[in-house]
Amino acid sequence: MHYIPRLRLPAMLPVFLILALAAGSHAAEPLELTGDARYNLSSHVDILRDDSGTMTLADVRKKENSLAFVPSSGAVPNLGITSKPHWVRFRLDDVFGYHPDRSWLLELDFPYADSAELFLPQEDGGYVSQLLGDRLPFDDRPWKQRNLIFELGRVTHSGYYYMRVQASGILNLPMTIWAPRALSAQLSKENLVIGIYYGTLLAMLIYNAFMFSIFRDKSYIRYCEYLLLFLLLQISVTGHGYQYLWSSFPGVGNLLPTVLLGATALTAIHFTELFLEVPERRPDVQKWLRGVFYLCGLSILVALLAPLSFSTPFAIITGCITAVALLITCVLVLRRGSRPAQFFFAAWLLLLTGALLKGLSLIGLLPINALTAYAWQVGSGLEALLLSLGLADRINILRQERLSAMQQAFELDKVAHTDRLTGLHNRTYFEREFHQHVSYAEKNQSSHFAFFLVDLVGLKAINDNHGHAIGDQAVRMTARLLTSFCRQSDIVARIGGDEFAIICPRMTTADYEVFVNRVDEHTADGRIKFQEGEEIKSVPIHLSIGHAHTSKVPAGEIFEFADRDMYEKKKKFYETNKRHREVTSSGAQTVAD
């Protein structure tokens, strides 16, 4: 505290007395301190703008009756954007008089004032000053809070209190007189609400960052960028950033809000474009939305280079333009039937409603109560939650669309690689799988597979003698037979009219021998019975099977080896089964031919 000696005023001439009475008739009424613990002081102050910026308390008191002090109008004096210092005077009247336990505090809810010096009147006519502000070290504050809190002590007389306030941008004077216990209780409640608010935003940020690590969708990372900058903007505007983060760097709090406002608006546009799919749904809107995007970039540049008296209104106007532009974009996309736009519209409407309620309460058009005091926090918190839900819903829709597309692609692939008659894989699928297995076996010598080529002997003769319906029945019977003894991992394919192939992956030599024996047991000669007129006839079925294993044959030669083996067995079968040749002959051409 600084002590200022008593100033003795010279004798006044009658004209000055008249001016003093005239000026006093327009002065604000003293604030009476009764039994309450909280009083709004802002409506009981007189305000003077110091255009020269050099006036001292002595100058103000000497010329007080001739200076244009203006009584406050409204619940919270809003002095707009100004870098000029302002003088505030007020009087307090404690109706209970002196009491040793009755002391008071003055809260200036304007955390980014460059300096605020309060002059307290003393019994001897002098003044004691208390100097606070965000240009001064935070640790010098008697109350370690984001707002500026002055200690008034006991009010023992009705003399004027003076305060000199100066800011680099916007200047508001929300001033409140508190009883210490009531202020402590209010700060505890406020810190709880603000903590929940910051915790909600931080939880949404962590959650969406985690979701991005899973889905790798760019909308999540864009939303995380927006949430992070929005959170930093709130911390800087409320003064908590100076309280907890950059208290060792006085003055940073004046620059950050304008920079962060432009950066937050920029990331909001970037997120909106992705979330609402603006380039795809409304390419006509994308062009002018890009213009707003560049305006936000210019706002950041202006905030870094221009004085706050210019950059602050520029940033505010840019933020308002961005908010309106995004709302219009959402409405236009919503008209195209976008489901994410429904979430965005509700979220953005809550955010703007909270901002409107807070703004109207600050200028005195709405009462300051629990709803209006925390309207901004509630609106922006619900906005963050709704946008997170909208992202989750959007990802769910995209996943359903992708699953549907994958299902369709799978069905098309299945149709393209399936033999329609037997339901087995066709030749296209077989060739792709066969080349992959051969390539893998050639690179990995310890990995082996078996290969079988199967020929349905006499299919042409069956078709010629009994018709294609019986021939198709023989083909389907062969397909069922082959799949009946194959493993689930084996690939069974029909690669020609009467030819089949089996690929047995990861089959050891011992398993191969067992499998060959099982094939021989299941493919013994059989017959197909069918009715022709009133007579039941049967057709003999025989399968000629060639096979090989990569442990005995190079993988690149396994097809040729199995093919030779199959034809040798087929030739041997015809040589030892002449009767089969005669039964299955067709005209002059035999099956053997």
Side-chain angles (χ1 to χ4, degrees):
M1 293 187 180
H2 307 282
Y3 180 77
I4 299 176
R6 178 178 179 178
L7 298 174
R8 299 184 180 276
L9 298 178
M12 295 292 183
L13 296 175
V15 63
F16 291 116
L17 182 59
I18 295 173
L19 289 174
L21 293 173
S25 64
H26 295 287
E29 294 294 328
L31 174 62
E32 291 188 354
L33 306 178
T34 58
D36 296 331
R38 174 181 179 177
Y39 302 88
N40 178 26
L41 178 63
S42 298
S43 58
H44 294 268
V45 300
D46 301 321
I47 302 172
L48 170 68
R49 173 171 169 166
D50 181 7
D51 290 320
S52 66
T54 59
M55 294 181 66
T56 63
L57 176 63
D59 297 330
V60 172
R61 294 198 64 203
K62 285 179 181 178
K63 303 177 182 180
E64 188 166 18
N65 294 322
S66 62
L67 295 175
F69 270 98
V70 179
S72 170
S73 59
V76 177
N78 187 348
L79 305 179
I81 299 172
T82 177
S83 60
K84 300 293 183 180
H86 284 69
W87 284 87
V88 179
R89 72 179 184 184
F90 58 91
R91 289 177 295 172
L92 301 177
D93 183 13
D94 192 340
V95 298
F96 288 97
Y98 173 80
H99 190 282
D101 296 330
R102 190 172 172 85
S103 62
W104 300 96
L105 301 170
L106 168 59
E107 178 191 26
L108 175 59
D109 192 1
F110 188 71
Y112 28 89
D114 292 348
S115 65
E117 188 171 10
L118 176 67
F119 298 92
L120 291 81
Q122 302 297 300
E123 293 291 341
D124 61 355
Y127 282 83
V128 173
S129 69
Q130 298 178 26
L131 179 61
L132 301 175
D134 68 356
R135 299 277 182 174
L136 304 172
F138 185 83
D139 291 338
D140 292 347
R141 297 185 179 186
W143 284 63
K144 303 300 186 290
Q145 299 294 330
R146 63 180 187 88
N147 292 334
L148 307 181
I149 300 175
F150 300 90
E151 296 179 341
L152 300 179
R154 294 185 294 272
V155 176
T156 59
H157 51 77
S158 59
Y160 272 117
Y161 292 77
Y162 295 89
M163 180 183 289
R164 185 183 184 274
V165 185
Q166 186 172 9
S168 301
I170 297 175
L171 179 58
N172 294 327
L173 297 175
M175 304 171 71
T176 307
I177 300 295
W178 289 92
R181 289 184 179 180
L183 179 58
S184 297
Q186 174 64 21
L187 291 176
S188 298
K189 182 174 68 174
E190 179 184 286
N191 290 334
L192 175 61
V193 173
I194 294 298
I196 294 174
Y197 171 65
Y198 289 152
T200 300
L201 294 183
L202 187 60
M204 292 296 100
L205 177 62
I206 295 174
Y207 166 76
N208 285 282
F210 176 73
M211 297 302 288
F212 170 74
S213 67
I214 296 176
F215 296 108
R216 296 295 176 180
D217 188 280
K218 289 184 178 180
S219 297
Y220 277 108
I221 198 63
R222 295 303 180 199
Y223 185 53
C224 288
E225 293 172 355
Y226 166 69
L227 268 182
L228 177 61
L229 289 173
F230 185 82
L231 179 59
L232 290 176
L233 176 62
Q234 300 312 304
I235 292 174
S236 66
V237 169
T238 58
H240 289 102
Y242 180 54
Q243 180 179 354
Y244 295 109
L245 300 180
W246 49 81
S247 57
S248 300
F249 303 95
V252 173
N254 287 328
L255 178 64
L256 279 181
T258 53
V259 174
L260 290 172
L261 181 57
T264 303
L266 190 144
T267 54
I269 294 174
H270 219 160
F271 165 70
T272 303
E273 289 177 340
L274 279 174
F275 183 71
L276 298 182
E277 300 175 334
V278 177
E280 295 81 10
R281 294 180 177 272
R282 293 304 300 253
D284 54 328
V285 178
Q286 172 73 9
K287 296 179 181 179
W288 59 265
L289 195 59
R290 284 279 97 185
V292 179
F293 181 87
Y294 295 132
L295 179 64
C296 295
L298 179 62
S299 173
I300 298 174
L301 188 63
V302 169
L304 294 173
L305 301 178
L308 287 173
S309 58
F310 178 78
S311 63
T312 300
F314 191 88
I316 293 174
I317 294 173
T318 300
C320 294
I321 292 174
T322 303
V324 174
L326 294 183
L327 188 61
I328 293 174
T329 301
C330 177
V331 172
L332 294 176
V333 174
L334 186 60
R335 294 176 62 184
R336 297 287 177 89
S338 171
R339 182 167 170 175
Q342 298 176 9
F343 284 90
F344 190 94
F345 181 78
W348 210 245
L349 203 59
L350 284 171
L351 178 68
L352 296 180
T353 301
L356 180 63
L357 291 176
K358 182 67 174 180
L360 292 177
S361 67
L362 289 177
I363 62 177
L365 295 181
L366 287 177
I368 298 179
N369 50 39
L371 175 61
T372 57
Y374 301 109
W376 170 250
Q377 286 81 3
V378 173
S380 55
L382 290 176
E383 180 237 14
L385 180 61
L386 273 179
L387 288 180
S388 295
L389 293 176
L391 272 174
D393 183 72
R394 177 178 177 272
I395 291 297
N396 186 46
I397 293 175
L398 290 176
R399 289 182 65 189
Q400 291 178 356
E401 292 176 350
R402 289 172 184 171
L403 286 174
S404 178
M406 290 174 60
Q407 184 67 24
Q408 293 178 4
F410 176 77
E411 294 296 334
L412 291 175
D413 182 76
K414 184 177 180 181
V415 170
H417 296 93
T418 302
D419 179 65
R420 296 182 63 183
L421 178 61
T422 62
L424 300 178
H425 299 297
N426 60 13
R427 187 180 187 90
T428 303
Y429 183 88
F430 162 76
E431 290 179 347
R432 185 185 69 186
E433 292 295 319
F434 180 76
H435 289 308
Q436 289 179 358
H437 281 79
V438 169
S439 176
Y440 184 80
E442 289 177 339
K443 295 177 182 178
N444 300 272
Q445 299 297 326
S446 60
S447 177
H448 297 290
F449 72 93
F451 179 66
F452 293 78
L453 271 178
V454 182
D455 182 84
L456 175 57
V457 178
L459 176 61
K460 186 177 185 304
I462 295 174
N463 288 331
D464 292 342
N465 293 332
H466 305 286
H468 286 276
I470 304 304
D472 291 345
Q473 186 178 345
V475 172
R476 286 192 292 268
M477 178 181 177
T478 302
R480 289 194 298 270
L481 179 64
L482 296 179
T483 55
S484 66
F485 58 77
C486 286
R487 304 173 303 177
Q488 189 173 2
S489 60
D490 295 338
I491 300 171
V492 185
R494 183 189 180 200
I495 60 176
D498 57 357
E499 290 188 348
F500 299 82
I502 304 174
I503 302 174
C504 301
R506 299 178 299 276
M507 180 172 281
T508 63
T509 305
D511 292 338
Y512 169 65
E513 299 295 340
V514 173
F515 191 79
V516 169
N517 293 331
R518 184 166 47 175
V519 170
D520 291 339
E521 293 176 1
H522 285 78
T523 57
D525 291 351
R527 306 183 72 85
I528 296 178
K529 295 182 179 181
F530 62 95
Q531 186 170 358
E532 190 174 281
E534 296 181 355
E535 183 179 358
I536 296 179
K537 297 184 177 180
S538 64
V539 175
I541 292 295
H542 177 77
L543 301 181
S544 179
I545 302 176
H547 50 84
H549 193 268
T550 53
S551 62
K552 301 178 180 179
V553 179
E557 302 175 9
I558 194 169
F559 187 96
E560 290 77 9
F561 188 91
D563 188 54
R564 289 195 302 270
D565 185 37
M566 180 193 71
Y567 276 101
E568 288 176 1
K569 292 178 178 177
K570 182 177 180 180
K571 182 179 179 181
K572 183 178 180 182
F573 171 77
Y574 280 126
E575 290 175 350
T576 57
N577 294 273
K578 294 182 179 180
R579 183 174 179 275
H580 184 86
R581 174 191 296 268
E582 295 173 355
V583 171
T584 59
S585 64
S586 176
Q589 186 179 16
T590 64
V591 174
D593 294 331

